[in-house]
Structures are given as structure tokens and as C-alpha cells.
Amino acid sequence: QVQLVESGGGLVQTGDSLKLSCVAHGRTVNRDAMAWFRQAPGKEREFVAAISWIGGVTYYADSVKGRFTISRDNAKNTLYLQMNNLKPQDTAVYYCGRRDSGSMYYARAAEYDVWGQGTQVTVSS
């Protein structure tokens, strides 16, 4: 069974950058599609970005397009999220998730069967 561990969150100011990491333990995720979601207090978990197993195809929520970049290093079994020009509305707990590559519903949280514990990102104005 794979376990996902996120890191890299923190408290930053508007306009700053952060890079989140998600390391998979237990087995390789090289054949799995992966994604980042986030959840703010009192809100549902929302899609942020997704990447295909081979890394060539990426998807982004409109709210982060042009500011965030998802990538993966299959040799390191690690998923990344580079976040630039952060805004207060980006404040949330960020989670990485794993889904079968055969699923096309990359923005649906229910399609993901493994989640990390989350890492807090707080952007002050």
C-alpha cells in the first residue's frame, strides 16, 4: 500500500513563492496519475492541478493557471507543486492524491484513493 507524505508548506506573504513536495512510500507511483487538491476551512476539497503518469499532460484549475506548476520526478517517486505569486485566497491545506491512470476525471476528489496528510499554506496580505 502506498503512503503519500507532503511537505513544503508555510506562512508567506502575498506575491511570495513556495514549492510543495509529495513523496510516495511503499511502492512506486510511476504508473499512477497524481494531483494536488486544497481545502480551506469550511470549504470542500477543491482541485488544484493534475499530471499524467508519464508527466507529459497537465491540468490546472483556472484560479491557479499561470501561477502554479505541477511536475513529477518518477526516479524519486516524488510529486511537486511550484506556487508563484501567491495570494491570500490560496490559503488552505494542500493534499496530494493518487488515482488510476485509466480514470479521466482528474478534477474529482472521489477518483483518488490515496491521500497524504496535507501541508498548510498560509498567505498573508
Side-chain angles (χ1 to χ4, degrees):
Q1 177 73 339
V2 64
Q3 294 181 325
L4 304 176
V5 180
E6 303 98 332
S7 62
L11 172 62
V12 297
Q13 295 185 334
T14 298
D16 285 351
S17 297
L18 277 176
K19 186 172 185 177
L20 305 183
S21 299
C22 169
V23 180
H25 300 277
R27 67 163 179 81
T28 180
V29 292
N30 292 353
R31 296 283 180 172
D32 297 334
M34 304 289 290
W36 290 96
F37 282 68
R38 66 188 181 188
Q39 189 166 17
K43 295 188 177 182
E44 293 187 353
R45 191 168 296 190
E46 67 170 357
F47 169 73
V48 174
I51 189 166
S52 62
W53 71 271
I54 202 170
V57 182
T58 57
Y59 307 92
Y60 296 94
D62 288 343
S63 59
V64 306
K65 204 170 292 183
R67 299 188 298 123
F68 290 11
T69 302
I70 188 171
S71 62
R72 66 191 299 166
D73 185 338
N74 285 341
K76 296 181 178 180
N77 228 21
T78 301
L79 177 73
Y80 301 101
L81 184 67
Q82 177 67 48
M83 305 186 294
N84 298 331
N85 191 22
L86 283 161
K87 305 176 181 180
Q89 52 264 44
D90 295 319
T91 295
V93 177
Y94 283 70
Y95 299 90
C96 63
R98 173 262 168 217
R99 81 179 194 280
D100 287 334
S101 293
S103 167
M104 300 302 295
Y105 300 103
Y106 56 84
R108 290 185 187 178
E111 292 292 310
Y112 295 78
D113 60 359
V114 181
W115 296 96
Q117 83 289 351
T119 185
Q120 176 71 48
V121 173
T122 303
V123 185
S124 62
S125 57

